[in-house]
Amino acid sequence: MTDDENLIPKPKPQPFNRALLLVISLVIGLLIWHLLASLLGLPAFILPGPILVWQRFKVSLLQGQLLYHTSVTLVEVLAGLSLGGIAATILGYLLSKSPAFEKMISPYLVASQSLPIVAIAPLLIIWFGPGTFSKILICSLTVFFPVLINTVVGLREVPQDLRDLMRSLRAGWAQTFWKLEVPAALPIFLGGLRVGATLSVIGAVVGELVGEKLGFRGDGAALHRVVRARGPVLGVFLDAVHVGVPVRAEENRAQLEVVALREDAAVAHEGVL
């Protein structure tokens, strides 16, 4: 490949092309789902077809149940995501700055992840009651670990030459943190937050299965009412989309900011030299 070919900018995927690919993949997924439900001949409570799910979704939507319980679950998800994300970010920053503290606390963090959230949820319901706080706490626990790991990795992946540049410019702790560490670690951090956003929806539904009859449990997400859960399953999907898509968009924007940060740092480094 010649130098002239390297200078030619590669075409970026247009938003229309992305939307078209999304529609095509959705249609293909629905067709595969319909074929499996038709060919396997399983009962509707095991594998309902997309038409049955859509019918149940419309019934729940027209009755007003779906919007109400979706809003309840969405509040729990957002609160749990915020609480778990903030706690994980603070602890992750401390771990990234102190290897001794990380060695001391890492065994407990790893051991905590060996316990499934389904086993912990009933205990949290008993300790804190069947109210909203226990659901938020369950969501925050599911969010905590992936955000923690990505925070530590993101901060440690900040290039050492950029840190040296900040020291040469006599930048203080606050300037280094806000102008270097946060922008450079943000894409990796948001990647963990995107995973945590999806897991937080699962945590909310698990909490509702063993708690009060609000959220998707109140609209039929309990295991003994699986047939009625066809519509709420779409509601859970919508909650995950509402939480995950903005995080993904912010992650893309942060990646562009990191590229700009590296370019500015290179220019500043040349100026120092």
Side-chain angles (χ1 to χ4, degrees), residues 159-202:
Q160 186 60 38
D161 57 344
L162 295 182
R163 294 186 182 274
D164 295 338
L165 176 62
M166 295 298 288
R167 280 194 291 267
S168 67
L169 296 174
R170 297 182 180 180
W173 173 85
Q175 291 176 317
T176 302
F177 177 75
W178 289 111
K179 296 184 180 299
L180 174 61
E181 292 180 335
V182 170
L186 197 57
I188 299 178
F189 168 78
L190 290 175
L193 189 63
R194 182 156 53 95
V195 175
T198 304
L199 295 177
S200 66
V201 179
I202 299 175

Side-chain angles (χ1 to χ4, degrees), residues 121-228:
L123 294 176
L124 296 177
I125 297 296
I126 294 174
W127 293 341
F128 299 99
T132 303
F133 178 73
S134 58
K135 316 298 188 308
I136 295 175
L137 192 58
I138 294 172
C139 290
S140 64
L141 290 177
T142 60
V143 171
F144 182 82
F145 195 71
V147 176
L148 173 69
I149 296 299
N150 281 46
T151 300
V152 175
V153 173
L155 289 172
R156 289 183 175 174
E157 288 295 321
V158 177
Q160 186 60 38
D161 57 344
L162 295 182
R163 294 186 182 274
D164 295 338
L165 176 62
M166 295 298 288
R167 280 194 291 267
S168 67
L169 296 174
R170 297 182 180 180
W173 173 85
Q175 291 176 317
T176 302
F177 177 75
W178 289 111
K179 296 184 180 299
L180 174 61
E181 292 180 335
V182 170
L186 197 57
I188 299 178
F189 168 78
L190 290 175
L193 189 63
R194 182 156 53 95
V195 175
T198 304
L199 295 177
S200 66
V201 179
I202 299 175
V205 175
V206 169
E208 291 163 359
L209 286 174
V210 295
E212 61 186 0
K213 294 185 177 181
L214 287 177
F216 287 114
R217 184 185 188 278
D219 201 26
L223 294 180
H224 64 282
R225 299 165 72 183
V226 173
V227 177
R228 288 194 58 203

Side-chain angles (χ1 to χ4, degrees), residues 14 55 61 89 120 126 130 141 155 213 225 228 237 245 254:
Q14 299 298 324
Q55 291 174 350
L61 188 62
T89 303
I120 302 176
I126 294 174
L141 290 177
L155 289 172
K213 294 185 177 181
R225 299 165 72 183
R228 288 194 58 203
F237 172 76
V245 169

Side-chain angles (χ1 to χ4, degrees), residues 12-215:
K12 298 181 179 180
Q14 299 298 324
F16 175 77
N17 294 336
R18 293 178 181 177
L20 182 60
L21 291 175
L22 179 61
V23 172
I24 293 175
S25 63
L26 180 61
V27 172
I28 293 175
L30 290 175
L31 289 176
I32 294 175
W33 180 9
H34 178 72
L35 291 175
L36 287 176
S38 301
L39 296 176
L40 295 179
L42 296 175
F45 65 89
I46 296 179
L47 182 61
I51 298 178
L52 292 177
V53 173
W54 175 250
Q55 291 174 350
R56 176 59 194 169
F57 177 80
K58 290 193 299 183
V59 171
S60 300
L61 188 62
L62 292 176
Q63 291 177 350
Q65 301 175 2
L66 187 62
L67 292 178
Y68 170 69
H69 294 292
T70 299
S71 63
V72 171
T73 302
L74 187 59
V75 169
E76 296 169 353
V77 167
L78 294 177
L81 183 63
S82 302
L83 178 62
I86 293 173
T89 303
I90 295 174
L91 182 59
Y93 182 81
L94 296 177
L95 292 177
S96 68
K97 295 299 181 180
S98 176
F101 182 52
E102 181 187 9
K103 293 178 181 179
M104 182 173 58
I105 200 174
S106 289
Y108 301 100
L109 294 175
V110 174
S112 67
Q113 294 306 303
S114 64
L115 299 175
I117 192 63
V118 178
I120 302 176
L123 294 176
L124 296 177
I125 297 296
I126 294 174
W127 293 341
F128 299 99
T132 303
F133 178 73
S134 58
K135 316 298 188 308
I136 295 175
L137 192 58
I138 294 172
C139 290
S140 64
L141 290 177
T142 60
V143 171
F144 182 82
F145 195 71
V147 176
L148 173 69
I149 296 299
N150 281 46
T151 300
V152 175
V153 173
L155 289 172
R156 289 183 175 174
E157 288 295 321
V158 177
Q160 186 60 38
D161 57 344
L162 295 182
R163 294 186 182 274
D164 295 338
L165 176 62
M166 295 298 288
R167 280 194 291 267
S168 67
L169 296 174
R170 297 182 180 180
W173 173 85
Q175 291 176 317
T176 302
F177 177 75
W178 289 111
K179 296 184 180 299
L180 174 61
E181 292 180 335
V182 170
L186 197 57
I188 299 178
F189 168 78
L190 290 175
L193 189 63
R194 182 156 53 95
V195 175
T198 304
L199 295 177
S200 66
V201 179
I202 299 175
V205 175
V206 169
E208 291 163 359
L209 286 174
V210 295
E212 61 186 0
K213 294 185 177 181
L214 287 177

